[in-house]
Each structure stands twice: as structure tokens, then as C-alpha cells.
Amino acid sequence: MFTELSLMFDSDVSFPVLAATCSLMTAAVSLEKAITCGSKGNVQSLSCDDGVISVQTALYGRADAVTCSEGRPLAQLANTLCSQPGTVDVVKKRCDGKRECELNINGFYTSDPCYGIYKYLETTYTCLPAIHLVTCEGSLAQLQCDQGQVIFVYGADYGRSDQTTCIYQRPLNQIQNISCSSPTGKVANSCNGKNSCTIAASNSVFENPCVGTYKYLEVAYTSSHSFPLPQILFLIHLSVPSARLTTKGSRAFSRSAPSLWNSLPP
């Protein structure tokens, strides 16, 4: 089921017209896997048709001698205990709570966990049902749950990642930069555990990740009862079917949620 609401603000009020789209998505949870070989410039793409991304595991290195082995000498495949520390944290920060996410393999060249070994990026993730809220710069994002429920934020970004969102009456030079995306925990810090929450999509709240670009705030959240969400995710993880592998050869794309949730009052 997919329900979309459009919320427009009156131009006479202090915040200009625009504004927010809110999508409620429900879908069966399945485990997805993406593998991207480690050649320079390759891009891994993660996406959810319904819901938002929740990264489960991520490996940059080599765990077997078969994956991304075509045309490679045996010496480049020999070490199958090769893993770069912190990979899952990097992928989670970039992708959790988003419907689409891209990761350039070059971003993992900061260190070499196994010199001389041909590496790859392997990510497994689920698509979680979520409310997806987009609010243009200068407007108010309004998160709302039914009575007896509280907000739990999967992830939030302030910036711009395309040339189609929040473009009404904006000059081209204000929407050209689509590499302006800054994951933020401020929405979770302000809204988690509340029944409703309002936060301004503004540079004064989130700072300015790209001067001169007209930005927007994207938030993915769910409404939950008192049952802790990390336990729900654990139960989901136990029940998901076998992973569907998506290997795209040379081209395959913030979350402090558990600790934030556990810090909430009962």
C-alpha cells in the first residue's frame, strides 16, 4: 500500500509555500545483497521500491576466492580473511533511512586491509516500512504519530541529491549541485520518543552543507508503541527469507538509532 499526502503552506505566513510530501510505505521485508568489484570508479547502488534502507552487514575486502575473481591472478585472491574495519559504519551512515543510496568504491581506498588482494564491497540490507518526509528549505517538517504511538527516526539528510525535488521557481544555479548531502542526527535527537514533532528545514538548524544551493530535509521515520524497535528489527532479521543477490559486475549504492531508542524513557 502506498499513500501520499501533499502539505502546502500559505505564502502569507513566515515560511514560503512548499513544501512537504509524506509517504507511508508498507512492504514485506526481504534481505537484499549487492556486490561491487573493487576497480576504481565503480559504484554500488542500494534501493528500496517500498520503504527505506536498513543496512545489516557490509564488507570491504575479500571473504572468498570466487567473488569478483574473473581475470584475476590467484595471488590477488589468496587472502580470504581480508576485511576493512568500520565499513558497516560508513555504509550505515550514508544509506540508512534512505530509499536510494550510492557508494563510490573510491571512498573505501582510505586504507588497504590486505595489500595486493583484489577487493570488493558486499552489502546486505533490508527495506523497512517507513514514513518518508521531504521538506523544502525554509519550511517546517512536521512528524506525527497516532495517539499512543511515538516517533522513531531511521535517518535524516539535509542538502540536495537530485534536480527534481523542491525546484519550484528556483533558478538553475540553485539546484545544480546534487552532491550536497549531509546526514544528521538532529532530527532523531529532537523527535525520538515524542508523539509529534516540528523542526525547521533551515541552515540555522542544520548548518549549511553547500552555500548557494537550495536544499531540503529528508526524514524517514516510523510510529511505534512501547515495544523497543531494536527487538522488532531482531525478530524481523530472524524471519527474513534467503538473500536475493544482485551483482552488477563493475557497477553495483545516520544511524545511532539503537542507542538513541534505548535512551528513551519507558
Side-chain angles (χ1 to χ4, degrees):
M1 180 180 70
F2 182 90
T3 304
E4 184 169 288
L5 306 175
S6 293
L7 309 177
M8 301 300 294
F9 293 96
D10 192 281
S11 58
D12 292 332
V13 298
S14 58
F15 290 92
V17 174
L18 158 104
T21 59
C22 177
S23 304
L24 175 60
M25 294 162 286
T26 58
V29 177
S30 61
L31 190 64
E32 310 287 342
K33 180 184 288 188
I35 296 175
T36 303
C37 300
S39 298
K40 186 176 181 179
N42 286 352
V43 175
Q44 183 170 105
S45 297
L46 312 181
S47 64
C48 292
D49 294 331
D50 295 301
V52 295
I53 296 165
S54 176
V55 174
Q56 304 298 304
T57 65
L59 164 78
Y60 177 69
R62 177 164 292 277
D64 62 63
V66 177
T67 304
C68 292
S69 61
E70 184 175 356
R72 296 286 163 180
L74 292 178
Q76 293 186 2
L77 311 174
N79 185 350
T80 58
L81 297 174
C82 167
S83 176
Q84 181 163 287
T87 299
V88 67
D89 296 327
V90 172
V91 181
K92 276 181 167 292
K93 183 176 180 180
R94 288 289 304 275
C95 300
D96 271 357
K98 295 183 178 181
R99 289 190 286 188
E100 296 180 348
C101 180
E102 290 194 342
L103 294 164
N104 193 306
I105 205 76
N106 294 6
F108 295 90
Y109 290 172
T110 54
S111 62
D112 192 340
C114 44
Y115 183 77
I117 298 298
Y118 186 64
K119 292 165 279 290
Y120 55 85
L121 175 63
E122 178 178 311
T123 304
T124 62
Y125 64 101
T126 58
C127 295
L128 298 178
I131 299 167
H132 184 250
L133 183 71
V134 179
T135 306
C136 299
E137 182 179 345
S139 296
L140 293 173
Q142 296 179 320
L143 290 67
Q144 179 71 52
C145 291
D146 292 338
Q147 186 174 0
Q149 296 184 324
V150 294
I151 295 164
F152 182 84
V153 176
Y154 287 135
D157 269 284
Y158 181 67
R160 174 167 292 277
S161 58
D162 62 52
Q163 293 184 335
T164 59
T165 304
C166 293
I167 62 172
Y168 181 66
Q169 295 186 337
R170 291 290 161 181
L172 186 60
N173 67 326
Q174 290 188 7
I175 62 173
Q176 282 183 322
N177 183 358
I178 59 172
S179 297
C180 164
S181 182
S182 179
T184 175
K186 290 185 177 180
V187 180
N189 291 337
S190 297
C191 299
N192 275 359
K194 297 179 180 179
N195 175 258
S196 64
C197 181
T198 300
I199 190 167
S202 68
N203 295 330
S204 61
V205 175
F206 299 101
E207 301 181 348
N208 193 345
C210 42
V211 176
T213 295
Y214 186 61
K215 296 165 282 291
Y216 49 88
L217 174 67
E218 287 191 87
V219 181
Y221 73 99
T222 189
S223 296
S224 174
H225 292 285
S226 58
F227 190 62
L229 191 63
Q231 294 183 28
I232 297 173
L233 298 185
F234 176 71
L235 294 175
I236 290 174
H237 181 70
L238 291 180
S239 63
V240 294
S242 299
R244 186 181 74 189
L245 174 63
T246 303
T247 305
K248 298 187 178 180
S250 62
R251 287 186 67 84
F253 167 121
S254 317
R255 167 169 161 192
S256 54
S259 58
L260 285 170
W261 184 268
N262 289 333
S263 68
L264 297 175

